[in-house]
């Protein structure tokens, strides 16, 4: 098949994320990738700024991860998890229990981030059902969040960017507090959680869970909020007997500068969702952790079991790669790498601050964001980045990067310079 044939078929028959059939955006065929470089079929190499949406933390085609995958494939690629177990799953569960905060000691393996969020929400509902308080089955969240694309995940994602009005009548309607305004770097304003305080005080009788992304709101706005906000949410959840679900699918495994973003506020959630970087970006796998208390309550009620069990639950290939990825991360000086990444991003993106079309530039850990005043024109900006040899995929008003942790300073400088140039050129269009 020639490249032209491949692209023609793709254009005619394949959906891409958030894509239009009648007005498709440019699509680039990829031949291979290694380290921080994506090789296009036309021979062009791109320095990757996206880590394939937070997931490829060690870079592409890492020899250790590839070896773990091949070894596992030769032994046991898959077996059902109902009534059977295997070493890769047990080792991974051990890792996750050990790395996360103390009360979290039960692990449910799910097949994607969205499914993990659904599982977490079902856990909260079943917990209060078993506790004899079945009227507590709604959720409270904060605006500008993102929790995935399936229905319940959408129902707690930002109602505006999540286009709730299209799905009105089908989508469950949950409660939204104002988004946090006090940024990670601002002086703490104790009035910031006011809207949240009011919501939970008014509705706690019908609430089983609060769900939010700790510290970093990802696809709903790429915002970094104050750790005191999260601490206050934890206090209020305890006070009103509502479970706190932390969605660390994007932030988990070091991205924000801590292994898990909840550590910025030194709190532990009742339920934790992990995904994306869990397998170092090799394949899809997610995990939901909860406390023994929650697990025992769910198991004590009717029907006495937790009601979920996906076909590919705890897929051995995915678990084996996840184990190798976690080991790689822990053996590396990841804190230093993230700290260098943070400094490189701050330095490299600083020139954007003065541009008239830029509303804000912010960096936290391995995440760099240039927030524009107007939504970018993807049909123009995407080829402009490729032309400069970098892979950056903006959405809406956000031009942002979260490169693999292994990116060298020179490559990072090329990446950030390309962003500054492209954003500056946008200004003159
Ligand atoms: C990506 C993401 C999800 C959804 O994960 P998928 O694997 O795409 O289903 C949920 N929550 C957050 C915070 C995410 O970033």
């Amino acid at each position: 098949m020639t490249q032209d044939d491949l692209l023609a078929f793709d254009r005619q028959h394949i959906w891409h994320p958030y894509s239009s059939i009648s007005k498709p955006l440019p699509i680039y065929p990829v031949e291979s990738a290694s380290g921080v470089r994506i090789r296009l079929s036309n021979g062009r190499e791109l320095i990757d700024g996206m880590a394939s949406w937070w997931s490829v933390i060690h870079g592409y085609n890492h020899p250790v991860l590839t070896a773990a995958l091949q070894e596992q494939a030769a032994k046991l690629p898959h077996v059902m998890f109902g009534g059977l177990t295997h070493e890769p799953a047990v080792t991974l569960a051990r890792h996750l229990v050990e790395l996360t905060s103390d009360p979290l000691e039960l692990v449910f393996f799910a097949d994607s981030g969205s499914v993990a969020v659904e599982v977490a929400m079902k856990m909260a509902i079943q917990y209060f059902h078993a506790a004899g308080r079945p009227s507590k089955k709604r959720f409270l969240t904060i605006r500008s969040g993102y929790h995935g694309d399936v229905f319940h995940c959408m129902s707690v994602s930002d109602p505006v960017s999540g286009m709730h009005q299209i799905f009105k009548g089908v989508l469950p309607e949950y409660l939204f507090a104002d988004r946090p305004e006090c940024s990670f770097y601002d002086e703490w304003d104790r009035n910031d959680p006011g809207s949240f305080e009011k919501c939970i005080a008014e509705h706690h009788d019908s609430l089983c869970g609060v769900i939010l992304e700790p510290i970093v709101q990802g696809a709903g706005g790429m915002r970094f909020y104050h750790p005191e906000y999260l601490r206050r949410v934890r206090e209020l959840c305890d006070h009103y007997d509502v479970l706190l679900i932390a969605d660390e699918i994007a932030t988990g495994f070091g991205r924000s500068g801590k292994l898990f973003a909840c550590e910025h506020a030194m709190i532990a959630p009742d339920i934790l969702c992990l995904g994306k970087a869990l397998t170092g970006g090799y394949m899809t796998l997610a995990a939901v952790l909860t406390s023994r208390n929650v697990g025992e309550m769910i198991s004590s009620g009717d029907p006495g079991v937790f009601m979920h069990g996906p076909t590919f639950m705890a897929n051995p290939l995915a678990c084996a790669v996840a184990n190798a990825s976690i080991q790689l991360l822990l053996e590396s000086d990841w804190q230093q790498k993230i700290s260098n990444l943070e400094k490189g991003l701050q330095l490299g993106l600083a020139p954007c601050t003065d541009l008239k079309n830029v509303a804000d530039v912010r960096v936290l850990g391995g995440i760099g964001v240039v927030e524009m005043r107007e939504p970018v024109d993807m049909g123009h900006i995407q080829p402009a980045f490729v032309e400069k040899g970098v892979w950056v995929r903006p959405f809406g008003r956000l031009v942002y990067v979260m490169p693999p942790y292994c990116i060298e300073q020179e490559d990072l400088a090329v990446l950030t310079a390309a962003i500054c140039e492209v954003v500056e050129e946008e200004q003159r269009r």
Side-chain angles (χ1 to χ4, degrees):
M1 197 175 4
T2 69
Q3 290 312 303
D4 288 348
D5 291 344
L6 182 153
L7 270 177
F9 192 92
D10 187 289
R11 194 186 182 306
Q12 283 298 316
H13 298 283
I14 306 182
W15 293 100
H16 284 263
Y18 292 88
S19 64
S20 159
I21 290 302
S22 48
K23 284 188 195 146
L25 289 167
I27 289 285
Y28 303 89
V30 175
E31 183 65 41
S32 64
S34 58
V36 297
R37 284 184 162 67
I38 298 174
R39 239 159 266 116
L40 300 184
S41 305
N42 64 9
R44 190 184 273 277
E45 277 195 352
L46 306 179
I47 296 173
D48 176 40
M50 303 307 290
S52 284
W53 284 330
W54 314 85
S55 66
V56 182
I57 54 176
H58 305 297
Y60 296 87
N61 201 3
H62 194 290
V64 172
L65 301 191
T66 302
L69 182 60
Q70 285 169 338
E71 210 173 292
Q72 187 58 43
K75 241 185 326 201
L76 176 66
H78 185 63
V79 68
M80 63 187 283
F81 211 51
L84 298 171
T85 193
H86 45 78
E87 183 275 331
V90 174
T91 302
L92 180 54
R94 259 180 201 274
H95 275 309
L96 297 179
V97 168
E98 207 172 283
L99 293 177
T100 54
S101 39
D102 265 348
L104 303 172
E105 52 171 295
L106 304 177
V107 184
F108 187 101
F109 290 112
D111 27 19
S112 75
S114 301
V115 174
V117 170
E118 291 268 330
V119 162
M121 293 172 80
K122 283 172 74 172
M123 279 182 180
I125 292 171
Q126 270 199 258
Y127 174 86
F128 283 105
H129 188 269
R133 302 172 71 189
S135 61
K136 277 169 82 75
K137 57 174 147 213
R138 302 179 76 202
F139 293 89
L140 165 62
T141 185
I142 49 180
R143 285 177 188 273
S144 293
Y146 176 77
H147 298 284
D149 287 349
V150 304
F151 277 110
H152 263 79
C153 300
M154 280 177 68
S155 73
V156 288
S157 297
D158 189 79
V160 179
S161 62
M163 293 278 170
H164 281 202
Q165 80 278 8
I166 303 177
F167 302 95
K168 206 170 165 57
V170 180
L171 207 58
E173 290 186 21
Y174 293 135
L175 295 162
F176 289 86
D178 294 345
R179 66 187 195 183
E181 289 299 334
C182 197
S183 99
F184 187 85
Y185 298 104
D186 287 343
E187 200 170 317
W188 173 234
D189 168 10
R190 59 200 306 273
N191 296 320
D192 199 28
S195 156
F196 185 91
E197 286 167 4
K198 194 162 161 277
C199 254
I200 195 167
E202 216 166 288
H203 298 284
H204 63 91
D205 276 343
S206 67
L207 290 177
C208 60
V210 162
I211 178 165
L212 45 68
E213 298 152 281
I215 307 301
V216 178
Q217 293 189 287
M222 299 300 294
R223 307 173 88 254
F224 314 136
Y225 65 88
H226 202 289
E228 284 296 338
Y229 190 104
L230 186 55
R231 251 202 285 272
R232 184 72 183 129
V233 166
R234 175 70 274 183
E235 264 173 28
L236 290 162
C237 286
D238 286 338
H239 180 76
Y240 289 113
D241 196 15
V242 175
L243 296 179
L244 176 58
I245 303 170
D247 179 351
E248 294 234 25
I249 290 165
T251 46
F253 302 101
R255 183 55 71 178
S256 74
K258 302 279 187 190
L259 197 55
F260 300 103
C262 281
E263 294 170 21
H264 287 287
M266 292 180 293
I267 61 115
D270 300 295
I271 302 174
L272 172 70
C273 300
L274 300 174
K276 290 198 164 111
L278 178 58
T279 62
Y282 263 56
M283 56 230 298
T284 178
L285 179 70
V288 183
L289 279 89
T290 191
S291 65
R292 190 153 297 278
N293 170 42
V294 168
E296 279 179 355
M297 179 62 84
I298 290 172
S299 312
S300 74
D302 180 42
V305 296
F306 179 58
M307 295 291 288
H308 209 98
T311 306
F312 287 99
M313 186 170 185
N315 172 250
L317 290 173
C319 290
V321 182
N323 287 326
S325 174
I326 289 173
Q327 213 168 336
L328 262 187
L329 182 70
L330 298 179
E331 284 166 2
S332 73
D333 194 355
W334 63 269
Q335 275 127 323
Q336 192 57 49
K337 281 190 191 161
I338 298 289
S339 162
N340 293 343
L341 191 46
E342 184 171 53
K343 284 187 206 121
L345 287 169
Q346 276 162 348
L347 195 73
L349 296 177
C352 290
T353 317
D354 301 326
L355 300 174
K356 277 200 292 292
N357 56 346
V358 170
D360 188 35
V361 177
R362 50 187 180 264
V363 172
L364 178 69
I367 313 162
V369 183
V370 177
E371 183 172 336
M372 312 287 290
R373 294 196 191 279
E374 302 292 334
V376 300
D377 172 358
M378 284 294 281
H380 176 263
I381 204 167
Q382 187 75 87
F385 280 124
V386 170
E387 204 50 46
K388 294 204 188 289
V390 300
W391 182 245
V392 179
R393 176 118 184 126
F395 70 85
R397 295 188 298 115
L398 300 165
V399 178
Y400 66 107
V401 284
M402 63 297 243
Y405 300 167
C406 58
I407 192 167
E408 302 282 349
Q409 287 296 323
E410 301 92 89
D411 286 340
L412 185 56
V414 173
L415 177 65
T416 52
I419 293 174
C420 295
E421 285 164 27
V422 168
V423 167
E424 215 250 316
E425 285 162 18
E426 282 290 295
Q427 191 176 235
R428 282 185 263 123
R429 283 184 77 225

